[in-house]
Structure formats: structure tokens, C-alpha cells
Amino acid sequence: VQLVESGGGLVQTGGSLRISCASSGAVWEDYAIGWWRQAPGKEREGVACIDHGDGSTYYAEAVKGRFTVSSDKAKGTIYLQMDSVKLEDTAVYYCAAVPVQRTWVCLSHAHGMDYWGKGTSVTVSA
């Protein structure tokens, strides 16, 4: 499974940004895709997850109501729409894949994710 993130950049507080994760090399319905982020000096944390087996989505409390995860099977791409961004959303954002049988790790156990992209940087300015 190959994952490539894109779309990061600079955004002002309160603004919006959409980042993307292009996936290949796997049966679409067999995997859940999680968005994770890591801010300088902090541990990597799960942000959002989409289970391509049943379409369920999951969010961390810190982003619930502001971020939306979606995907387009025809394009093989998973998106993270980030609205009402805050300074604390500044981080490198990664997408990661795990078989749907282990979707339970998708937001909670970074070491449980099987495949990772290299990340895209998001900076929120005041």
C-alpha cells in the first residue's frame, strides 16, 4: 500500500484547508484510512478515520465538528477538510492505513497502523 499526502500549506486562524492522501496498491474496501498529526515536540495523535468497509467515520474530540474526512474511490484519494482551524492544528499531517479488521486502532494506536505516508505540513497563523 502506497500513501502520498498533499495540499498542506499556510492558513490563517479560522480559515479552511483541504489536504489529500492518494492511495494505491490495496483493495479499497479492505482498509481504513486514518489521518494523524504530529506537532513539534508532541506525540503523534489520531485525528480522523474512515472505514472503507462500511463507510463509518471517526474523529478525535479536538477536531470534531471542524474537520471532515471523506474519500473518492474512483480517484483513490482520501481527503481531510479542515475548517475553523486553530493555532493548535499546526502539525505535519500523515495518512495511514490499517485493515478494516483493526479499525479500532485507527485513531488510538499509531504503532498499530500498517502503512504510512510521508506527511504534509500545515501551519496555522494568527
Side-chain angles (χ1 to χ4, degrees), residues 10-116:
L10 182 66
V11 58
Q12 288 188 325
T13 301
S16 296
L17 188 70
R18 189 179 77 165
I19 56 178
S20 303
C21 171
S23 69
S24 60
V27 176
W28 183 260
E29 292 81 4
D30 285 353
Y31 283 86
I33 305 296
W35 281 102
W36 289 70
R37 68 185 181 186
Q38 188 165 20
K42 295 189 176 181
E43 293 187 357
R44 196 168 293 193
E45 63 174 347
V47 173
C49 177
I50 184 165
D51 182 330
H52 285 149
D54 63 11
S56 298
T57 56
Y58 307 90
Y59 297 94
E61 285 298 322
V63 306
K64 198 172 291 184
R66 301 189 298 118
F67 289 10
T68 303
V69 59
S70 63
S71 61
D72 185 331
K73 181 179 179 179
K75 295 183 178 180
T77 302
I78 302 89
Y79 304 99
L80 185 68
Q81 177 68 40
M82 307 166 61
D83 298 320
S84 303
V85 297
K86 304 176 180 180
L87 291 174
E88 52 264 42
D89 294 323
T90 294
V92 177
Y93 283 73
Y94 302 87
C95 57
V98 65
V100 294
Q101 293 83 359
R102 288 189 281 120
T103 297
W104 63 274
V105 307
C106 197
L107 284 183
S108 58
H109 292 76
H111 61 271
M113 304 298 286
D114 287 2
Y115 303 97
W116 289 85

